[in-house]
Amino acid sequence: MSNPYKNLPDHCFWSRAHRVEHISDVDPVVKGGFLLKENMKIATAGSCFAQHIARHLQKAGYNYFVTEEVPHPIIPEAVAASFGYGVFSARYGNLYTARQLLQLAKRAYGEFTPEEDFWRNADGYLIDPFRPSVQPGGFVSEDEFYADREVHFAAVRRIVEESDVFVFTFGLTEAWRAKSDGAVFALAPGVAGGLYSTDQHEFVNFSVDEIVADFEEFVTMMRSKNPNVKILMTVSPVPLIATAREDESVLSATSYSKSVLRVAVEQLRERLNDAHYFPSYEVITGNYNRGAYYSENLRDVEEDGVSHAMSLFMKHYTEQSQPSLASRVKKKLTKRKSASNKFQEEVGEALAVICDEELIEKSVK
C-alpha cells in the first residue's frame, strides 16, 4: 500500500543515512543553497568554529574577504593572528551571540554607544570589552584605543556593505551585559579586565525568539545597504567551557544552548530570503561517528571532523571537491596519527589565544 514515506530517498531514513563504508561518507547536507564563485567576497564571523571555514576557503583559492589587514607584511602569521588579523574578516574576535553581532553593526554606524566603553586590566592598560583578545596586554592609552577602534568600525562597515556572502556561526546563548544600556560583552567583566559588579552587570540566557529577532534585524540592516548578500548560517559544535548557571550542569546547559541555537537557525532559514543552513554541527556531534571527531577533552574538534565538514561544504557549495577522509586514511594510515597529533597541538595553541571563551577557565585557576 502507498504511504508518504514509500518513495523518499535514503537520506530521509535513519537506517540508511549512515549506512556507508566510512563515517566521512555520511552527508547530511543533501544539497547546497547556492554556488560560490571564486570572485565572491566571503566574510565570516561568529564563534571559534567559523575560523575553520575561513582557513579552508583560503586554501582552496576562494576570495576570503578580509577588511582589516595586518599593518606590515613582515609580521609573522602567528603574531598577526594573536592580534586578531585574518582570524575573521575583521578584528572583532569571537561574536558568540546574535546580539553581539547586531550591536557591533549598530556601533559601527554610530547607532549605539555603550556607556561602559573600555575596561582596565591589572596593569592599568585598556581592554576592549567587546573584543578583549585582539590586543594582547591591552591598549596603552585612550587615544590608541579609540584610533584603533575607528579603523575597526570602518572595516566592519565594509563587510556589511561589500560582502557577497556572509557566514555566521552561532556559538552561545549565555552572555553578560550592562544593566544600564544592555550592551553585551564578549566575556563577563573580571575575566579579561574590568570589575564585575552585581549592581552594573547581569547574566542573560537568550531565547529562541530573541536570537531570531536579533539576527533578523542585523540581516535587515545589512541588506538595506547590500541587498544581494547571501547568508550562510552554522551552529558551533564546541560545548560550553563553563556555564554561569549555578543550579545547572555544564552538560545540560550545553544541550540547552545548542538546541536553542539550532531551532533559532531553522526559523531564520524559513523567514529570511536567501539564507541557508550548513549542518557542520550535525557532522561533528552526530552519534554515527561515536565521538571520533572530538579530542580527549571532549570539547576540541579533531581535524578529521573539520575535514569531513569542509569536504561536504566544498562538495555542495563550490565547483571544487576535496578527497574524502576515507581515501586519505587508506593512503596515509601509518602517518595519520602523528600528523594529526602535531596539527592538534598547533591548533590548540592558536585557539587558546583566539577563542575568548578559553579565558574563563584560565581566570578561575
Side-chain angles (χ1 to χ4, degrees), residues 11 27-34 269 276-279 316-317:
H11 63 254
D27 185 355
V29 180
V30 181
K31 62 179 181 179
F34 56 89
R269 179 168 67 168
H276 311 273
Y277 173 67
F278 178 72
H316 291 283
Y317 280 87

Side-chain angles (χ1 to χ4, degrees), residues 49-232:
F49 196 76
Q51 298 166 32
H52 296 305
I53 295 176
R55 187 167 59 248
H56 279 259
L57 287 173
Q58 285 177 302
K59 287 182 179 179
Y62 283 83
N63 185 13
Y64 180 52
F65 190 34
V66 176
T67 59
E68 208 160 354
E69 301 281 358
V70 63
H72 200 286
I74 69 168
I75 296 177
E77 186 176 342
V79 175
S82 71
F83 281 81
Y85 289 101
V87 178
F88 296 103
S89 291
R91 294 174 67 220
Y92 29 63
N94 302 123
L95 300 174
Y96 289 115
T97 65
R99 183 67 57 85
Q100 286 175 268
L101 175 67
L102 174 61
Q103 290 186 348
L104 171 62
K106 288 185 173 182
R107 289 166 59 222
Y109 284 95
E111 298 178 13
F112 177 51
T113 303
E115 294 178 16
E116 201 165 334
D117 217 12
F118 57 78
W119 295 334
R120 292 190 182 274
N121 63 15
D123 298 321
Y125 294 110
L126 276 64
I127 302 295
D128 192 330
F130 308 100
R131 45 181 195 141
S133 296
V134 300
Q135 188 74 12
F139 294 93
V140 174
S141 67
E142 291 188 27
D143 287 343
E144 181 189 25
F145 174 85
Y146 287 118
D148 185 85
R149 199 178 64 177
E150 285 307 309
V151 172
H152 175 59
F153 282 167
V156 171
R157 292 193 294 271
R158 285 193 63 200
I159 291 169
V160 170
E161 296 168 14
E162 299 178 29
S163 298
D164 296 306
V165 179
F166 182 73
V167 183
F168 186 72
T169 298
F170 293 77
L172 299 174
T173 57
E174 295 190 11
W176 290 88
R177 65 186 176 191
K179 288 184 176 180
S180 61
D181 58 7
V184 174
F185 308 118
L187 293 168
V191 172
L195 297 173
Y196 172 67
S197 167
T198 55
D199 294 331
Q200 299 177 27
H201 309 119
E202 63 183 359
F203 171 75
V204 59
N205 201 9
F206 290 111
S207 68
V208 170
D209 290 344
E210 289 174 313
I211 294 165
V212 169
D214 287 343
F215 195 74
E216 200 167 27
E217 185 176 352
F218 167 78
V219 172
T220 299
M221 180 180 183
M222 189 176 197
R223 285 183 168 161
S224 69
K225 308 172 189 302
N226 185 3
N228 298 318
V229 64
K230 299 178 183 299
I231 305 297
L232 185 62

